[in-house]
Amino acid sequence: MFHSQSTKQRAKSVTHANRGKFLERVIDMANTKYRNAGLADIRKIPTPVQITKDKGSQVEGRKEKPEWVDYAGVCNGRAVVFDAKETKGKSFPLQNLHEHQYELLRSWYEKGAITFLLVYFSELDKYFRLPFPPLQAAWQTAQSGGRKSISLATFEEHASEAVSMDGYTLHYLLPFIESRW
């Protein structure tokens, strides 16, 4: 695994404002390596900003409500869209995935894109790539009044663990690259 500092040290420095930045940095490094190797082109989707004041060289703005997931691109000729999330503990709260993110993943999945959640369990220092079908099952269960999170056991059974290997900080696209869709 990629470690810039121990998980316990990092956990102390993580505030609400920079939560997820570690995971974003790890993914961005992997994406650069994928691009440089010619294997995939995956990009971070920036949060839209509405400019409220423009005073020459100084600009003020506010973040708009995002309508996309975190990452999109292409791998072996197929569209790839996914959202990256970090969680503590041994489950992923579905409230951390916004409805517009779920709906975008659903729509793209139905049209043949590679869609998944990439979830980092920080206390376990493990990364999982959860494909859309088990996410959809969990989402529908929550919508009908059932469990509102996805257990670690579900990730272990239905997701693939993404690991650091072959010079990648996180080789999360490995199954899609190996299969040559």
Side-chain angles (χ1 to χ4, degrees):
M1 296 293 153
F2 172 76
H3 304 284
S4 61
Q5 54 185 317
S6 78
T7 304
K8 287 185 181 181
Q9 288 173 325
R10 195 178 71 73
K12 290 179 186 175
S13 67
V14 173
T15 66
H16 186 71
N18 67 7
R19 185 184 58 194
K21 292 295 181 189
F22 171 79
L23 178 57
E24 183 178 312
R25 190 171 61 247
V26 170
I27 294 168
D28 288 345
M29 287 188 295
N31 289 345
T32 297
K33 186 156 175 72
Y34 287 134
R35 263 192 312 281
N36 291 343
L39 297 173
D41 190 349
I42 310 293
R43 307 284 174 131
K44 172 88 171 105
I45 306 299
T47 302
V49 175
Q50 180 180 16
I51 296 173
T52 56
K53 290 183 184 175
D54 186 352
K55 298 178 183 178
S57 63
Q58 291 185 331
V59 176
E60 292 181 20
R62 70 169 189 269
K63 290 183 178 180
E64 293 182 343
K65 181 180 176 188
E67 296 181 13
W68 259 79
V69 291
D70 291 334
Y71 293 90
V74 64
C75 178
N76 290 330
R78 283 188 65 192
V80 176
V81 292
F82 69 95
D83 209 77
K85 301 292 185 185
E86 183 174 330
T87 187
K88 292 182 179 179
K90 295 187 177 175
S91 68
F92 172 72
L94 285 167
Q95 69 182 16
N96 292 355
L97 182 69
H98 300 286
E99 186 170 357
H100 73 270
Q101 294 169 321
Y102 171 80
E103 289 300 329
L104 187 137
L105 292 171
R106 181 191 57 74
S107 177
W108 283 58
Y109 173 77
E110 290 173 354
K111 292 162 185 67
I114 298 168
T115 58
F116 56 91
L117 276 184
L118 187 59
V119 179
Y120 176 52
F121 286 82
S122 60
E123 290 182 2
L124 303 173
D125 198 26
K126 288 189 174 194
Y127 303 82
F128 288 95
R129 185 186 46 261
L130 182 70
F132 185 75
L135 169 62
Q136 183 177 39
W139 187 270
Q140 289 172 343
T141 297
Q143 295 302 305
S144 61
R147 184 182 175 118
K148 307 286 188 226
S149 64
I150 305 173
S151 69
L152 177 60
T154 298
F155 281 90
E156 291 173 338
E157 183 177 344
H158 297 288
S160 302
E161 188 173 353
V163 297
S164 174
M165 65 183 291
D166 299 334
Y168 289 86
T169 55
L170 189 62
H171 209 342
Y172 70 90
L173 287 177
L174 183 62
F176 309 114
I177 290 168
E178 286 182 335
S179 67
R180 295 284 177 197
W181 292 90

